[in-house]
Amino acid sequence: MSDFDDLFAKAKEFHGHVCPGIVLGTRLTIAGMRELGMNPRENNRNLIVYVEIDRCGADAVQAITGCSLGHRSLKFKDYGKFAATFVDTQNGNAVRVSIHEKNRAEHDKLPPAEVIRILSVAPEPEILKIERVRIAIKKEDLPGFPVGKAICSRCGEQVSDNRHVTVNGDALCRNCAGESYYTPI
Ligand SMILES: [Zn+2]
Ligand SMILES: [Zn+2]
């Protein structure tokens, strides 16, 4: 089994089905880790990945890197773009890899199985854009013990990692500060 086949199988198993997004996510992850000099078969403790989309490809990134929300090593930036930035926290090196499928219009006319085959062997420059970037990670975003704990003065719930806001000197959770994503019933 080639490196790609092996890692693709891992992504496929985690995601639950085969689709072009998983193929591209696998290619993207292989490129990002390679650019940082990391081996996807090893446990890379210094790797943090920012994914910019919550679709199929994000699962490939998680399955192959082992980065996850629970380890604080997977960050979600809701940009709706099929891209991810790989950061080595030890030396600060960072590389952003985005999908740039040059023949997308032609691929859209083909059956999915054929697209998957094409994307799995396409030369990288035909499907990926790779760029070196700089990224400043705040200490409260890093793995490790929570920092900046606060108790919300309105609901009494604990807020970790400086995610609270201060209004007139009082600590408030984002919900109580009016940024809620839900409405109590
Ligand atoms: Zn999928
Ligand atoms: Zn609150």
Side-chain angles (χ1 to χ4, degrees):
M1 240 190 209
S2 74
D3 239 22
F4 173 82
D5 290 338
D6 206 16
L7 297 170
F8 177 59
K10 212 171 168 180
K12 188 171 77 177
E13 191 188 322
F14 180 76
H15 185 55
H17 67 238
V18 183
C19 58
I22 284 295
V23 184
L24 289 169
T26 301
R27 298 288 308 265
L28 172 148
T29 307
I30 288 172
M33 295 189 81
R34 182 195 63 228
E35 293 297 311
L36 291 182
M38 290 182 179
N39 181 348
R41 294 171 192 284
E42 289 168 6
N43 180 14
N44 296 281
R45 294 172 154 274
N46 301 316
L47 177 63
I48 288 186
V49 186
Y50 290 74
V51 292
E52 298 181 18
I53 198 162
D54 54 350
R55 288 192 174 273
C56 302
D59 274 356
V61 174
Q62 178 164 358
I64 296 166
T65 61
C67 291
S68 71
L69 280 180
H71 288 108
R72 308 199 88 208
S73 50
L74 186 70
K75 311 291 187 190
F76 176 46
K77 292 287 177 192
D78 199 1
Y79 290 0
K81 295 168 80 176
F82 197 162
T85 296
F86 298 76
V87 190
D88 183 339
T89 57
Q90 195 159 47
N91 55 24
N93 288 340
V95 61
R96 181 175 180 271
V97 187
S98 52
I99 299 301
H100 186 63
E101 204 180 326
K102 292 208 170 122
N103 302 314
R104 178 66 194 259
E106 288 163 42
H107 296 165
D108 281 346
K109 294 178 209 145
L110 301 170
E114 179 64 4
V115 178
I116 287 164
R117 194 195 61 76
I118 291 170
L119 296 178
S120 61
V121 294
E124 267 185 14
E126 284 183 20
I127 51 170
L128 303 179
K129 190 174 95 185
I130 301 174
E131 55 190 327
R132 291 274 158 185
V133 296
R134 210 188 305 279
I135 179 163
I137 306 178
K138 288 190 234 148
K139 69 173 187 323
E140 60 261 38
D141 289 347
L142 290 167
F145 289 108
V147 293
K149 279 187 200 169
I151 301 291
C152 174
S153 61
R154 194 162 299 166
C155 69
E157 293 179 359
Q158 181 177 295
V159 185
S160 297
D161 300 306
N162 285 334
R163 268 39 174 192
H164 62 283
V165 293
T166 304
V167 179
N168 299 328
D170 292 329
L172 288 178
C173 70
R174 304 282 265 272
N175 175 58
C176 292
E179 297 176 33
S180 191
Y181 67 94
Y182 63 89
T183 312
I185 50 171

